[in-house]
Amino acid sequence: MRKILLLLVVVFSLNQTKGQTKQDALNVLRAKGVTLEQAQELAKANGLLPDTKSTKSNAVKANDVVTDLKVVEVKQDTIIPTKPKPVVQVEKDTLKYFGYDIFVNNPFGQKDYLLGNIDEGYILAPGDELRITVFGDNNLEFVSKIDLNGNISFPNLGVFFAAGNSFATLKKRVKVFLGKFYSGLLSNPSRTFLDVSLTQIRPVKVSVLGNVNTPGPHLVNGMATVLNALYASGGINTSGSLREIKVYRNNKLIKSIDLYDYITQGNIDQDIRLSNNDVLFVGPRLSSVTLTGNVKNKAIYELKSNESLKDLLKYSGGMSASASLDNINISRIKPFEDRDQEMIFNRFLTTINYSKYRDNPKNNFLLTDGDVVSVKEILANQKNTVSISGNVYSPGDFALDTYSDLKTLIVSGANGLKPKTYLEKIDINSEDDKGVLSYQTFKLSSVLNGDVKVTLKENDQVRIYSLEEVEGAKTVSISGFGVTARTVSITENLSLYDLIFQSVSYDALEFQSKVLTSRLDLNRFDSTTGLYSTIQFDFNDITTLKSTFLKAKDQVVLYAKTVTEDLSPTVTIGGQVNNPGEFPLSKKMYLEDLIIKAGGFTNTALRDYVFINRLDRDLGTGKYSQQKVNDLDIEYMLGNKDTPSNPFVLENYDIVNVVAPIRANFQPVVAVQGEVKFPRNVILKTDQITIGSLIESVGGLTNNSNIESSYVERDSLKLYVNFNKNLSDINTNLQDGDVLFVGSKMTPVTTSGAVAMPMAFNWEPGKKAKYYIKASGGKKKVGIEQMYVVHANGKTENISLFKNPKIYPGSNIILIQKDKTQRSEKFRESIDKFTNVFSILTGALTSVLLITRL
């Protein structure tokens, strides 16, 4: 081992030593019988190479090499692991644990026990209920439960001790007891008869412990057995043992039950009836042995310590017919006590020939926990076989002893040749028992006419070719307009016309109207150049089409008129029609026809004329289209005329636009409120109405009206209007929803803010703002920031030393006092300004004085 590891350092070192190359080291390894892969594995295990895999390999490693059960001891330092790949990779999740599915459909899950008939050996005890019937010369019927003392009481007859008797013994004793009181019951022949039956069986409590789904105490029927109790506990889980269920009674083991007898054979001889306070214990699984491969039931089995491969195969139902007796692999994990820290792997593989052990009872290959048994399949090769494939009616495998020569195989076995068979060649591939391949070829026609006789051998494979395989498929294709592209086999005298007629709806009007009749192409293959050449035909020249016969690989292409024209012309209409959009253009289609196709006018549409944009692209000027206006003829649209008065024939891509006047169906409503005689909502006749006309429509102004304080409200905002003009000259362009509010002389004038007493006053004509300020006690003795008046019509005017605006009803006079902080800051700013100005003046005077002295 040490020498091999030193060599590995050389093999896998990036810097080769002088005089010893990597190949030299490999040669030394090879001389010692070590492959490069084996050396790599040893290097990784000893820390000479990093393991590039995320997990360690499960390659074979063992102290013993087992060959046909003959153990050969091999020294540790000569053990070389084989290729580092797992011997057996069995995903246990894909295999079920054998036997546990008997508890899946649990008939006792709801405690409804199906226990069958009561046998005569049933021992009676307190809690059992009896029905006793006497009939014949005497009559008696009563039901009684055995009391805690074990007695039943007969009416007027006394007490009878029943507990501890078997059911059969009880019936005999009751007959003797009642015979004392009822004549004819014991006489011969009997004239009185007795029937005793159990109407209710006492429950018993048992404890099911260990690896079951619901461990603990369970109440079961007095007739219940071990199986019934296991079902009542929900069954055994996969960690529990099916091979050793222990039953304890009065702290003593009375029975150990193996369920495999029940599962594999239906044998319930070991099942026993339980008594009150019995304890069932299910221990852990004894072992887990995995069985895969060609067996009847692949699963994970539980085996006892003395059970062998024969037992495992018996429990599985045996091997399948395709199983190989010579190749049964057993992957075994070394027991803990046999493992060596110097060993790399602790799993080894054994292959046995089962045919040597199957019929010899002395040979017994014992299995242990963790074993994985894999039964291989026999070889797929079969004897006495020849096969034939290719262009025959019945290809497949045939018996060599029946069809020993080639001609018989073709004619009788394969039922002859199919049409279009290539007769110049037939091939036979052979493989002997040693795997040596050989090849023979013959002329098929010579074989069939008997000139050549070929004797077949084991595993010969005969191949017969079709003309299509050798020469290529002889087909023609057609594609293009009106055709679902297709390729068909060529037939004799198939003309160009025939192919077209078969592939399209030749006489269909739509096809005839859209197909390009001036040209169709026939692309013909030139075998010399390997290229296609195109031959043009006239679609309407039927005579030429019928006389032109197709050849293999011909390609026919049809075209539509779309190569030069638009076969689906459209026009578009938008605007005030019910269904605007794009429509197919028909022949000689008028404007009025398009409007009808679009569902007619909307209610607001202008029906006198429409606008038409016609495509007129000019790249030089950038022009896209020209617009035209054309009058409409409603009488034509109604069907009263054959032709419009001013006919306009539409062309492809025309766009028609039907317009509507602005606010066509719109009648604005304005509310007039305030000091008018009849306040109401007024429907405007025109959008040029004046304020004077609007006021006249509601009866005119009242005596209390004040036009200067009037205003218009729009969207909750006041719209300023200069009412100092003549009302008949005021046009405010009123809109729907506007409110004209005429002011009232009765609306008070108010003062607020920095006045001595904020008040409301009756309006006095001609009075100004300062009049009302004085009437409110004058200004407060604080600095006044601003004074202004807000009139009822929303207009705002400032009040100052030289400005004293006129006041109207509803005006609000507002005085805002200065903030103390602002006053202090302004005072400081004034002082700073004065200081700066004084400094500048002082400097200037000093300069002037100096200049004059100089």
Side-chain angles (χ1 to χ4, degrees), residues 305-335:
S305 59
N306 61 342
E307 289 185 321
S308 65
L309 181 60
K310 290 181 182 179
D311 298 308
L312 177 64
L313 294 175
K314 179 185 72 172
Y315 296 143
S316 71
M319 294 183 285
S320 61
S322 60
S324 172
L325 297 178
D326 300 334
N327 291 287
I328 297 181
N329 284 347
I330 302 170
S331 175
R332 175 165 294 176
I333 300 173
K334 267 193 171 296

Side-chain angles (χ1 to χ4, degrees), residues 670 672 676-685 689-701 740:
V670 173
V672 182
V676 293
K677 292 181 180 179
F678 303 104
R680 66 183 179 89
N681 291 339
V682 179
I683 301 173
L684 300 184
K685 298 178 181 180
I689 190 170
T690 64
I691 296 295
S693 299
L694 186 60
I695 292 175
E696 287 179 6
S697 67
V698 294
L701 300 172
L740 172 60

Side-chain angles (χ1 to χ4, degrees), residues 561-705:
K561 291 180 180 178
T562 53
V563 296
T564 57
E565 59 184 284
D566 189 351
L567 295 181
S568 301
T570 60
V571 288
T572 302
I573 185 169
Q576 300 302 313
V577 290
N578 290 314
N579 298 307
E582 188 178 77
F583 295 88
L585 177 65
S586 57
K587 187 176 181 181
K588 202 175 180 181
M589 185 177 185
Y590 297 118
L591 281 170
E592 291 82 358
D593 298 326
L594 177 60
I595 293 172
I596 292 174
K597 288 181 179 292
F601 298 108
T602 64
N603 292 332
T604 60
L606 182 65
R607 307 184 184 195
D608 298 332
Y609 57 88
V610 294
F611 296 91
I612 308 100
N613 279 69
R614 176 156 290 173
L615 191 64
D616 188 14
R617 187 74 171 109
D618 188 335
L619 295 177
T621 62
K623 183 181 179 181
Y624 286 103
S625 62
Q626 57 176 324
Q627 189 178 75
K628 300 182 179 183
V629 180
N630 201 82
D631 293 336
L632 297 174
D633 191 339
I634 302 299
E635 290 298 315
Y636 171 76
M637 293 180 65
L638 296 175
N640 297 327
K641 297 173 68 174
D642 294 332
T643 305
S645 300
N646 188 22
F648 186 94
V649 179
L650 295 169
E651 295 181 2
N652 195 17
Y653 302 119
D654 278 354
I655 299 176
V656 179
N657 190 19
V658 180
V659 298
I662 186 172
R663 296 187 286 274
N665 289 343
F666 187 64
Q667 298 186 65
V669 178
V670 173
V672 182
Q673 300 175 4
E675 291 295 330
V676 293
K677 292 181 180 179
F678 303 104
R680 66 183 179 89
N681 291 339
V682 179
I683 301 173
L684 300 184
K685 298 178 181 180
T686 174
D687 51 11
Q688 298 299 318
I689 190 170
T690 64
I691 296 295
S693 299
L694 186 60
I695 292 175
E696 287 179 6
S697 67
V698 294
L701 300 172
T702 67
N703 293 331
N704 291 321
S705 63

Side-chain angles (χ1 to χ4, degrees), residues 107 150 155 245 391 420 495 529 565 648 683 709 714 720 806 832:
I245 294 95
N391 205 45
K420 299 182 181 180
S495 69
T529 63
E565 59 184 284
F648 186 94
I683 301 173
S709 59
R714 179 177 295 165
Y720 173 73
K806 191 175 181 180
D832 292 339

Side-chain angles (χ1 to χ4, degrees), residues 251-290:
N251 295 323
K252 292 182 180 180
L253 177 65
I254 63 168
K255 188 75 173 180
S256 182
I257 296 175
D258 187 347
L259 288 185
Y260 268 29
D261 290 341
Y262 169 62
I263 296 169
T264 60
Q265 303 175 35
N267 185 353
I268 57 173
D269 290 346
Q270 295 189 50
D271 203 9
I272 63 171
R273 183 173 294 124
L274 298 174
S275 296
N276 200 39
N277 295 321
D278 280 357
V279 176
L280 277 67
F281 180 76
V282 179
R285 287 176 61 87
L286 302 178
S287 64
S288 294
V289 177
T290 302

Side-chain angles (χ1 to χ4, degrees), residues 325-358:
L325 297 178
D326 300 334
N327 291 287
I328 297 181
N329 284 347
I330 302 170
S331 175
R332 175 165 294 176
I333 300 173
K334 267 193 171 296
F336 293 111
E337 60 273 13
D338 295 335
R339 296 182 191 177
D340 191 337
Q341 291 184 353
E342 295 183 2
M343 296 180 64
I344 301 173
F345 307 111
N346 292 300
R347 183 188 289 274
F348 62 93
L349 182 70
T350 300
T351 300
I352 69 169
N353 186 344
Y354 185 67
S355 58
K356 294 183 179 180
Y357 301 92
R358 182 182 56 176

